[in-house]
């Protein structure tokens, strides 16, 4: 990771000596456990205003007697720095997608979906059967654990809950972060409705880009 940081700094230094160079900016979405997202938020805050946190979400999904928890964050800023976050995210078992300005210029109706992998696969099937024309441009899955707790319906002493917690296969819960492009404007509302009804978090880039450019 140190080598990657040095590479990013050297690249930024070379570009800063070129007075004609305009710094490219890009966006990224990172998903994983709270510790990873805390680290990425810290790096953004420590970037001397080169990277901006657009938003962060803490999600709790109820699955029977378990609450499965994960975080995701959306960042915007210097494309070199944003690209450098990919390595740390991968090392920490998180999911990462990057959205460049070129992608925004060339692809219609960009949307990012964040949810457990099995749910993402279900929604892709539903959208296809609903005759929504779309493409998957990027996808990334977590490889690290996400947090899990018994919900309030489980009436056990806390020390027993703590003892049982390691036996639940949280590593089987894989998060997916997927960047899609929807061909037709009239299908945007359909994608949002189907996704949210299936507990998938949707980021519509049409609403994000203007804020990110400010």
């Amino acid at each position: 990771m140190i080598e990657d940081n040095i590479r990013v700094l050297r690249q930024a230094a070379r570009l800063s000596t070129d007075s004609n160079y305009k710094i490219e900016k890009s966006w990224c979405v990172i998903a994983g456990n709270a510790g990873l997202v805390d680290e990425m938020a810290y790096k953004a805050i420590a970037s001397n205003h080169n990277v901006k946190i657009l938003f962060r979400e803490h999600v709790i999904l109820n699955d029977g007697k378990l609450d499965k928890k994960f975080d995701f964050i959306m960042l915007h800023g210097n494309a070199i720095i944003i690209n450098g976050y990919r390595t740390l995210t991968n090392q920490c078992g998180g999911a990462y997608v990057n959205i460049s300005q070129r992608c925004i210029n060339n692809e219609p109706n960009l949307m990012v979906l964040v949810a457990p992998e099995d749910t993402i696969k279900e929604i892709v099937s539903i959208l296809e059967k609903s005759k929504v024309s779309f493409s998957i441009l990027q996808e990334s899955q977590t490889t690290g654990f996400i947090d899990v707790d018994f919900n309030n319906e489980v009436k056990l002493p806390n020390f027993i809950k703590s003892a049982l917690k390691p036996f639940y296969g949280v590593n089987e819960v894989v998060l997916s972060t997927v960047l899609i492009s929807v061909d037709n404007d009239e299908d945007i509302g359909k994608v949002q409705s189907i996704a949210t009804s299936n507990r998938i978090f949707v980021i519509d880039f049409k609403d994000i880009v203007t804020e990110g450019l400010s």
Side-chain angles (χ1 to χ4, degrees):
M1 188 178 74
I2 294 175
E3 290 80 4
D4 289 324
N5 289 337
I6 293 173
R7 177 183 54 78
V8 169
L9 290 172
R10 284 176 175 169
Q11 194 172 3
R14 285 198 301 269
L15 295 176
S16 66
T17 61
D18 184 352
S19 59
N20 296 321
Y21 181 80
K22 182 179 180 181
I23 295 176
E24 288 189 19
K25 294 190 176 183
S26 64
W27 293 256
C28 74
V29 177
I30 297 169
N33 59 37
L36 166 64
V37 176
D38 283 345
E39 177 68 19
M40 304 315 298
Y42 177 84
K43 289 176 73 66
I45 293 168
S47 71
N48 193 24
H49 305 293
N50 286 303
V51 176
K52 177 181 178 182
I53 299 172
L54 297 185
F55 62 83
R56 173 182 179 166
E57 294 288 339
H58 178 66
V59 181
I60 300 177
L61 295 178
N62 180 264
D63 183 6
K65 297 183 182 300
L66 297 176
D67 287 334
K68 296 173 181 178
K69 307 174 184 179
F70 65 91
D71 286 40
F72 65 93
I73 192 169
M74 188 169 199
L75 306 174
H76 172 253
N78 185 305
I80 297 172
I81 299 174
I82 292 285
N83 289 337
Y85 291 169
R86 184 191 305 269
T87 300
L88 177 60
T89 301
N90 291 339
Q91 288 174 341
C92 295
Y96 174 103
V97 294
N98 181 283
I99 307 95
S100 66
Q101 186 64 52
R102 181 180 304 173
C103 184
I104 292 172
N105 294 341
N106 295 337
E107 297 289 346
N109 303 318
L110 293 174
M111 307 178 83
V112 179
L113 310 178
V114 183
E117 184 182 37
D118 57 347
T119 307
I120 291 287
K121 289 181 177 179
E122 288 176 12
I123 197 70
V124 167
S125 176
I126 293 171
L127 292 174
E128 189 273 329
K129 291 174 182 176
S130 301
K131 307 301 182 184
V132 174
S133 181
F134 70 100
S135 300
I136 296 177
L137 305 179
Q138 291 182 51
E139 59 179 330
S140 178
Q141 288 80 35
T142 59
T143 58
F145 298 147
I146 65 171
D147 297 325
V148 64
D149 276 315
F150 292 99
N151 60 36
N152 293 331
E153 295 179 5
V154 179
K155 306 301 182 183
L156 289 172
N158 288 335
F159 75 92
I160 294 180
K161 289 183 180 180
S162 297
L164 292 175
K165 183 175 176 180
F167 294 98
Y168 286 84
V170 191
N171 54 316
E172 296 178 0
V173 181
V174 177
L175 292 177
S176 284
T177 304
V178 179
L179 175 66
I180 68 171
S181 173
V182 181
D183 292 345
N184 302 314
D185 294 350
E186 58 269 22
D187 284 333
I188 291 293
K190 185 184 295 186
V191 174
Q192 291 175 326
S193 176
I194 293 173
T196 53
S197 65
N198 286 273
R199 299 195 301 174
I200 289 178
F201 294 86
V202 186
I203 304 166
D204 186 348
F205 243 78
K206 179 175 76 263
D207 300 327
I208 294 296
V209 171
T210 301
E211 180 182 356
L213 292 175
S214 62

